Amino acid sequence: MSGGTRASNQGVNISVVTDGEEPGIERDAKPSTSWPLGPVVALAIVAANVVFWATFQRAFHPFELEWMEGGVLQHLNRVIEGLPLYPAPSIDFVPYPYPPFYYYLALPFTKLTGASLFTLRLVSQLATLASCLAIFAIVRHESRRWDLGVVCAGLFVATYRVSGAYMDVGRIDSVFVALVLAGIYFLRTRDDVLGLVVAGGFAFLATLTKQTGLAIFGPMMLWCLYRDASSFSTSKAALDSGFRFRRTLLFSGTTLGLTVASAAVLSSGEGNHFFFYVLGAQSGHEIRWSFLPYFLWNDLIWALPFAVGTVGVWVWRSKDRLSVLFYLAFFVGIAAAWIVPRAKVGGAMNNLIPLHACLVVLLGAALSDLLRSEAHRAWVPRAAAVGLAMQILWLAFDPRIALPRPGDVERGVRFVKQLANAKGEVLIPAHGYLAGLAGKRVYAHQMPVDDLSRSGLPGAASVRDEFARAIADRRFGLIVDSTSRFLEHYPNDHVLAEHYRKVGPVFEKEGQLTPRSGWQVAPGAVWVPRDE
């Protein structure tokens, strides 16, 4: 830690000034022992364990917890088989509009547990634990207290329900959040060459998992530039080394350099359409700006009222402007990565996980600073402890609502057997993994096909025509549309009904085998070829 110690005029109080603070802002070398956090720690641990109990139960469910999981498994299988992830779009495969790091991260786990939904969920749950560790480490750095770090980590897990129950789902979201938090931790706590390069490395991996990583770390790069250019950054070590703009060059340079290099590699080769999917596939989604007030209220204020209020007071009252600017830059990036995908048609609550993680981190930083500056007020630590406890209780929920419905496993097993006994190939655009479980060929997933159709990009029409020809030629012995009735309108409003007839729903009652997270779509109507 750079900076030095200062003795007070009485020669009894010693405080430390960190390199990340303005001169004149003193931080206690020892944490206050008057903060009654013991019961809150216990409450946070209980809240987190309730969630972990539910996620453990969900991990072994053999069918989708969220409707995109099966498509992620299709991507993982392509990596295992050495097939390209970004080929020209076709009826066989259209990729999700994300960079590929998550799929390659999951690859080693397939050696232990095979290519399965369980493997994908295992990666996500380990990533959630990594996020908890990163939150603990950041808050511990700010407060010099392990107990506040534990409370904030537990509070993050407790947001499981209000962020849509996505933390344990076999998708990119939890890995993305863990990488973002790791980058923030190193950028906040390390000022040396290795630390800044590692921070840039995590920022790059986050961007290679989900392209909105650049939206998050863009403001952090600007903060680095401001920090380097300000008079506060001219520590003796920096001036002696002549490396005044080390944060900008090392962090931003590493992040951007690796991102550009990886994009060049991923987009190289004949028939590679990486940029086509990652940058353009969702361009046809309308952004519903009129929903912004609802999102601000529901996703922020209603979900984490104590955190929002405390952070607001901290931004208003804090004298540690550099710390405030650091975390405000973090929040601005997170807000950009949250509000635009959330406001798009089809946007889901998975975008709330990084938002809530950011708010919890800001809450830890805010409480650390406010309790130092208000240490002379005996009621402040007690009020903070009560507020934290109330916030955790506010997020409490019955974990059984996140569990698969009774009988879903049996119904799913029977349906897979029916698919296996069907003559010829089957088409299940929203749940193609079920065809794979039945030993059938898996075709393109409904979500990216629909995105491509909305985008109007080159290739959208050819995929539409390919689906129309396959249906008109009665290529499939069985078609199972989703409950969203996607194939009744895609590729057009008449081709399915002309060449296939509906024989009834897959399940007797609505809601059976419906995912427990995200969009509530399930196997719907069964269609068989019409007689010639």
Side-chain angles (χ1 to χ4, degrees), residues 61-395:
H61 185 55
F63 302 105
E64 287 176 322
L65 295 172
E66 192 272 346
W67 84 297
M68 287 177 59
E69 275 191 321
V72 177
L73 183 59
Q74 185 183 14
H75 286 65
L76 178 60
N77 281 321
R78 289 183 70 88
V79 171
I80 293 172
E81 296 167 10
L83 298 173
L85 281 177
Y86 305 102
S90 70
I91 191 174
D92 295 314
F93 181 69
V94 179
Y96 287 151
Y98 304 121
F101 181 69
Y102 176 82
Y103 314 123
Y104 287 97
L105 180 64
L107 184 61
F109 291 88
T110 62
K111 304 296 183 182
L112 300 174
T113 56
S116 64
L117 296 176
F118 172 79
T119 300
L120 299 174
R121 294 166 191 160
L122 176 63
V123 173
S124 294
Q125 295 206 31
L126 291 175
T128 298
L129 292 175
S131 294
C132 291
L133 180 61
I135 290 171
F136 169 83
I138 295 170
V139 176
R140 173 68 179 83
H141 168 79
E142 297 294 346
S143 66
R144 308 295 191 266
R145 297 187 60 119
W146 67 268
D147 49 3
L148 183 56
V150 171
V151 169
C152 288
L155 177 58
F156 166 66
V157 178
T159 65
Y160 176 80
R161 180 183 62 86
V162 294
S163 60
Y166 276 92
M167 290 182 188
D168 60 328
V169 167
R171 290 174 44 119
I172 65 173
D173 304 291
S174 290
V175 170
F176 174 67
V177 172
L179 293 169
V180 167
L181 290 172
I184 292 297
Y185 169 75
F186 278 95
L187 186 59
R188 178 62 177 162
T189 63
R190 297 284 294 272
D191 198 33
D192 58 295
V193 171
L194 178 60
L196 292 170
V197 169
V198 170
F202 278 117
F204 154 68
L205 290 177
T207 303
L208 196 59
T209 303
K210 193 174 185 180
Q211 55 269 50
T212 49
L214 279 181
I216 294 173
F217 286 104
M220 303 313 302
M221 295 178 195
L222 294 178
W223 181 88
C224 287
L225 182 61
Y226 167 77
R227 183 71 177 86
D228 285 337
S230 70
S231 60
F232 304 129
S233 69
T234 54
S235 63
K236 186 176 184 299
L239 292 176
D240 288 347
S241 67
F243 199 10
R244 180 174 177 179
F245 285 88
R246 63 193 183 284
R247 293 179 185 85
T248 302
L249 293 174
L250 293 173
F251 173 72
S252 304
T254 300
T255 303
L256 294 176
L258 290 175
T259 299
V260 170
S262 66
V265 171
L266 289 169
S267 60
S268 64
E270 185 177 355
N272 195 310
H273 296 73
F274 173 73
F275 285 117
F276 174 85
Y277 296 112
V278 171
L279 298 182
Q282 290 192 319
S283 59
H285 285 272
E286 176 190 359
I287 300 178
R288 304 164 297 178
W289 293 115
S290 61
F291 281 71
L292 182 58
Y294 168 77
F295 294 142
L296 290 173
W297 170 257
N298 185 76
D299 299 351
L300 276 174
I301 301 171
W302 178 259
L304 292 168
F306 177 70
V308 172
T310 302
V311 171
V313 172
W314 173 55
V315 172
W316 171 48
R317 291 181 60 88
S318 179
K319 296 178 181 179
D320 187 357
R321 305 316 298 171
L322 277 177
S323 293
V324 170
L325 286 174
F326 177 88
Y327 285 110
L328 280 182
F330 181 30
F331 179 76
V332 167
I334 287 288
W338 151 61
I339 197 63
V340 175
R342 181 81 163 107
K344 281 184 176 181
V345 173
M349 294 179 73
N350 60 300
N351 296 297
L352 303 190
I353 303 177
L355 174 68
H356 293 158
C358 174
L359 277 175
V360 168
V361 168
L362 266 65
L363 174 62
L367 287 174
S368 302
D369 191 11
L370 289 174
L371 288 167
R372 279 192 299 270
S373 62
E374 302 292 336
H376 60 288
R377 304 179 190 272
W379 62 269
V380 172
R382 292 176 176 82
V386 170
L388 283 168
M390 295 299 292
Q391 176 66 87
I392 294 171
L393 290 173
W394 177 253
L395 296 169

Side-chain angles (χ1 to χ4, degrees), residues 6 18 22 44 83 102 152 192 281 443 465 478:
R6 297 187 210 155
T18 68
E22 297 183 41
L83 298 173
Y102 176 82
C152 288
D192 58 295
Y443 290 90
D465 292 343
L478 195 70

